Amino acid sequence: MKSVPILLVTISIIFFITFLIDIDQYIPGFSNYLPFMWIPLLGIEVYRSIKYLKNKSENEIRLRSNNDSYLNMVPFILGVLICLCSIVSFFIDENEKMISIFFIILGLLLILQGIFIIPSALIKKEKKNLYFENGKQKHFIEIEQIESILFTKNDLRLKIKDDTTYFFQHLELNQTDIDDVKIFFRKHIDKNIQLG
């Protein structure tokens, strides 16, 4: 459900083409309106996040990682800065009121994107397997092979029957998240769950 890379790739390609070709030579004034292409893309991103957060799947749980704190702060801060600068520009520059309004909308969408962020760490039950993803760590583990589960506020450890232990670190769990994880594991697998 992470579509941020698609958004970043799309924006990067548009900017790259614009500055590589000097598109203003072919479409005069196009580069002035290039930032407004973000508005529908950010609108779609915010809509997807809200839709996902309202309709959470029964077979998966998402947990906050340390990176999520930064990921939701960056668009929030950029949104506030863009809104403030656009409001000042709206009252100072009489000729560019429409552009200021578009930038205010862009800033508000960035603020919403920072508020409605989807946690990046994922635990998902797929048939007889559990799928774990946290950053670059991705593992499929057979439920029958899990011997015990230990989790703390910062990590999750799965001990497998062959004495292998999988670590999922850099989590940022509060008590509600810990309770949700316990409920998820008790619902989908009946194993020894320990709090560390």
Side-chain angles (χ1 to χ4, degrees), residues 126-186:
E126 294 182 352
K127 298 181 183 176
K128 295 182 180 183
N129 295 317
L130 280 179
Y131 172 71
F132 291 88
E133 179 180 330
N134 186 13
K136 293 181 180 180
Q137 294 181 9
K138 296 176 184 175
H139 298 285
F140 274 102
I141 302 169
E142 286 185 44
I143 293 173
E144 294 175 1
Q145 296 298 317
I146 298 173
E147 190 172 289
S148 66
I149 301 167
L150 172 69
F151 60 93
T152 65
K153 291 181 179 182
N154 300 322
D155 63 7
L156 173 69
R157 297 176 192 165
L158 296 164
K159 187 174 181 185
I160 308 302
K161 288 182 180 175
D162 66 358
D163 287 334
T164 305
T165 303
Y166 289 97
F167 292 94
F168 297 94
Q169 300 173 328
H170 310 296
L171 298 176
E172 206 174 88
L173 303 176
N174 57 31
Q175 190 59 46
T176 305
D177 295 330
I178 291 172
D179 293 339
D180 289 344
V181 171
K182 285 194 318 193
I183 290 168
F184 178 82
F185 281 130
R186 285 194 179 123

Side-chain angles (χ1 to χ4, degrees), residues 95-107:
N95 298 329
E96 301 295 334
K97 293 212 184 268
M98 195 61 170
I99 291 176
S100 296
I101 290 171
F102 280 124
F103 273 109
I104 291 170
I105 293 169
L106 180 68

Side-chain angles (χ1 to χ4, degrees), residues 13-149:
I13 289 171
I14 291 171
F15 275 118
F16 181 72
I17 290 172
T18 301
F19 294 114
L20 183 70
I21 299 175
D22 189 21
I23 200 121
D24 281 337
Q25 187 177 20
Y26 303 104
I27 305 171
F30 181 77
S31 62
N32 294 337
Y33 296 97
L34 192 61
F36 306 122
M37 291 182 173
W38 280 4
I39 291 175
L41 294 173
L42 281 173
I44 291 168
E45 184 68 28
V46 169
Y47 172 75
R48 285 181 181 170
S49 295
I50 292 171
K51 185 178 174 184
Y52 176 82
L53 292 172
K54 283 187 176 182
N55 303 319
K56 293 180 182 177
S57 173
E58 292 290 322
N59 292 337
E60 73 178 47
I61 186 167
R62 290 201 172 257
L63 304 170
R64 286 178 289 162
S65 70
N66 292 344
N67 290 338
D68 290 340
S69 299
Y70 302 110
L71 287 175
N72 70 348
M73 289 305 292
V74 170
F76 189 81
I77 292 170
L78 283 174
V80 168
L81 289 173
I82 289 172
C83 279
L84 289 175
C85 292
S86 300
I87 290 169
V88 169
S89 174
F90 181 82
F91 291 110
I92 292 176
D93 193 359
E94 293 293 324
N95 298 329
E96 301 295 334
K97 293 212 184 268
M98 195 61 170
I99 291 176
S100 296
I101 290 171
F102 280 124
F103 273 109
I104 291 170
I105 293 169
L106 180 68
L108 291 174
L109 285 172
L110 281 169
I111 291 169
L112 288 174
Q113 185 183 23
I115 292 172
F116 297 112
I117 191 164
I118 298 172
S120 61
L122 170 68
I123 304 172
K124 185 174 187 176
K125 182 181 182 234
E126 294 182 352
K127 298 181 183 176
K128 295 182 180 183
N129 295 317
L130 280 179
Y131 172 71
F132 291 88
E133 179 180 330
N134 186 13
K136 293 181 180 180
Q137 294 181 9
K138 296 176 184 175
H139 298 285
F140 274 102
I141 302 169
E142 286 185 44
I143 293 173
E144 294 175 1
Q145 296 298 317
I146 298 173
E147 190 172 289
S148 66
I149 301 167

